[in-house]
């Protein structure tokens, strides 16, 4: 392996799945102004090595100054990872990332298609938000590890950032923003509008908006977008063909859009305009500007910050969850579905309870995975 420049910027990608793969493949095709080295961390070292190897070939073909390597990883703080790393301050101090991207969680978004069960039926009935504690478990450990071992590093979260980032903020843990979700939709709108670019396009949207809006007429049912400060008409029509893409393809687009953002953040681009989920610990996604270590919203004049937050909070209820003031609450649909199995969880919980709540959801998931998907809640309760 060729030597890496000592002054190369360091991006660490935690995860070896689809999002990590699309992110690294896209990073390999970017021409940054300074060299970048990417370290892939994954529990499955073979998967991480394969990902890094394929990305290295892509970087070679395109002639980019981006190098890739892989190391084993354990999510357990204080564990002995051998020659690898753990989710603790000591490992982060050794890694010294400029940007760390969490591209993994304890709950795959593809489980319903790959391994349907009563658990995936519960997610379908309650909404994706019911998995919040499982989405937050790893990234919360990474955020705490960075705070203790590499406090100058930037954390970018790819695990349900619309709801997880507000949870992290309630725990006094920092994530600059997320990738995917509104960023994916903004990229699709940018393409549909003839590529005006993220500086001209501002998008307000939530993870829930990855799906087409229903017929309920709710004013939070669809993404809101502005081009040069003017509302974009027929957003639903513009996004229709992109929403029709298979979900893995949309996930690949999330990684591609995320790679452009991560490269800009890692190399110190003076100003980055984007629409991203979870900036400033806010729920949902917003148009933002990153300048000199500062994050500011780029909302149109007619929308206040309070209005944008309230709109995204309401949109998040379509996902079956609401995070605010450090509390996690489930709207009626999610509460009813969860009450059939765990009434104690259905009442909601506080951010400070995350480790315990994640354990309870893990136990519930492990049990429901053994129940066939066609079996009803009533049958299961007998």
């Amino acid at each position: 392996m060729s030597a890496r420049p000592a002054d190369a910027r360091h991006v660490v990608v935690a995860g070896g799945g689809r999002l990590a793969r699309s992110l690294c493949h896209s990073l390999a095709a970017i021409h940054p102004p300074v060299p970048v080295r990417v370290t892939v961390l994954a529990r499955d070292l073979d998967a991480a090595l394969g990902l890094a190897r394929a990305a290295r070939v892509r970087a070679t073909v395109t002639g980019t100054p981006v190098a890739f390597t892989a190391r084993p990883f354990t999510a357990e703080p204080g564990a002995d990872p051998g020659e690898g790393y753990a989710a603790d301050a000591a490992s982060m101090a050794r890694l010294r990332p400029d940007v760390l991207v969490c591209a993994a969680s304890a709950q795959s978004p593809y489980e319903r298609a790959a391994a349907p069960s009563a658990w995936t039926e519960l997610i379908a009935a309650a909404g994706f938000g019911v998995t919040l504690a499982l989405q937050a478990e790893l990234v919360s450990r990474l955020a705490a590890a960075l705070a203790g071992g590499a406090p100058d590093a930037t954390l970018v979260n790819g695990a349900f950032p619309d709801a997880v980032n507000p949870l992290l903020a309630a725990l006094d843990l920092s994530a600059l923003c997320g990738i995917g979700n509104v960023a994916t939709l903004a990229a699709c709108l940018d393409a549909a509008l003839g590529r005006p670019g993220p500086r001209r396009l501002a998008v307000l949207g939530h993870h829930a908006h990855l799906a087409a809006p229903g017929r309920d007429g709710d004013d939070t049912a669809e993404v809101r977008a502005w081009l040069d400060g003017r509302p974009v008409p027929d957003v639903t029509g513009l996004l229709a063909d992109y929403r029709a893409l298979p979900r893995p393809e949309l996930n690949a687009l999330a990684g591609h859009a995320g790679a452009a953002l991560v490269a800009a953040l890692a190399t110190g681009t003076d100003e980055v305009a984007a629409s991203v989920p979870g900036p400033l610990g806010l729920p949902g996604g917003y148009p933002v500007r990153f300048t000199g270590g500062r994050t500011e919203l780029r909302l149109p004049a007619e929308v206040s910050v309070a209005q944008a937050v309230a709109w995204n909070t309401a949109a998040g209820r379509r996902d079956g969850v609401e995070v605010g003031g450090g509390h996690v609450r489930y709207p009626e649909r999610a509460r009813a579905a969860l009450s059939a199995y765990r009434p104690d969880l259905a009442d909601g919980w506080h951010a400070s309870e995350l480790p315990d709540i994640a354990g309870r959801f893990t136990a519930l998931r492990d049990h429901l995975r053994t129940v066939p998907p066609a079996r009803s809640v009533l049958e299961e309760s007998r």
Side-chain angles (χ1 to χ4, degrees):
M1 185 183 303
S2 60
R4 302 183 194 93
D7 61 347
R9 308 296 287 172
H10 190 195
V11 173
V12 174
V13 177
R18 292 182 180 181
L19 180 58
R21 186 163 60 248
S22 63
L23 180 70
C24 289
H25 287 179
S26 295
L27 283 170
I30 287 175
H31 289 265
V34 297
V36 172
R37 59 188 179 100
V38 179
T39 301
V40 181
L41 302 181
R43 299 178 191 182
D44 184 343
L45 181 57
D46 287 339
L49 288 169
L51 194 166
R53 197 172 295 123
R56 196 177 303 131
V57 172
R58 283 173 165 80
T60 299
V61 170
T62 53
T64 60
V66 185
F68 292 86
T69 190
R71 292 289 183 271
F73 175 71
T74 174
E76 298 300 325
D80 181 8
E83 295 183 357
Y85 298 89
D88 57 29
S91 288
M92 295 303 112
R94 286 193 294 126
L95 273 168
R96 290 184 299 143
D98 292 296
V99 177
L100 187 150
V101 184
C102 179
S105 74
Q107 177 62 50
S108 168
Y110 303 107
E111 184 172 347
R112 187 178 185 186
S117 66
W119 168 247
T120 61
E121 283 193 335
L122 173 59
I123 296 174
F128 189 71
V130 78
T131 72
L132 173 59
L134 301 176
Q135 301 294 334
E137 185 180 27
L138 173 59
V139 70
S140 66
R141 293 181 182 181
L142 289 171
L146 285 177
D152 293 331
T154 295
L155 175 63
V156 175
N157 176 29
F160 196 23
D162 300 70
V164 169
N165 285 14
L167 197 65
L168 296 179
L171 294 169
D172 291 325
L173 297 172
S174 176
L176 180 72
C177 65
I179 55 174
N181 307 341
V182 71
T184 304
L185 295 168
C188 293
L189 279 173
D190 196 9
L193 291 168
R195 300 170 62 183
R199 292 180 184 275
R200 297 177 57 196
L201 183 64
V203 182
L204 198 65
H206 196 280
H207 169 270
H209 294 125
L210 289 174
R215 300 177 180 274
D216 52 15
D218 184 347
D219 66 357
T220 67
E222 182 57 283
V223 165
R224 298 181 68 185
W226 296 263
L227 181 61
D228 296 330
R230 298 177 181 176
V232 174
D234 192 22
V235 169
T236 302
L238 290 169
L239 287 174
D241 289 342
Y242 298 96
R243 282 178 169 143
L245 292 169
R247 185 51 66 93
E249 188 69 25
L250 276 176
N251 202 43
L253 295 179
H256 193 68
L261 174 66
V262 168
L265 293 173
T267 58
T269 301
D270 290 340
E271 180 180 306
V272 181
S275 293
V276 294
L280 301 170
L282 298 175
Y286 308 78
V288 299
R289 181 183 295 106
F290 302 112
T291 309
R294 294 180 58 236
T295 303
E296 58 182 353
L297 301 186
R298 296 185 299 118
L299 294 169
E302 70 267 24
V303 180
S304 70
V305 173
Q307 289 171 328
V309 170
W311 184 90
N312 259 312
T313 299
R317 297 186 191 116
R318 291 160 50 87
D319 255 341
V321 72
E322 178 181 336
V323 183
H327 290 274
V328 175
R329 301 177 180 86
Y330 302 109
E332 180 56 36
R333 172 176 66 105
R335 191 163 57 248
L338 195 51
S339 290
Y341 297 108
R342 291 294 299 261
D344 58 315
L345 294 174
D347 289 336
W349 42 280
H350 190 269
S352 60
E353 301 177 273
L354 175 60
D356 175 62
I357 296 295
R360 290 196 235 171
F361 268 105
T362 298
L364 175 61
R365 178 188 63 184
D366 291 349
H367 168 61
L368 291 182
R369 279 175 170 172
T370 68
V371 180
R375 199 169 183 178
S376 72
V377 170
L378 290 177
E379 289 174 327
E380 167 60 14
S381 65
R382 289 172 183 168

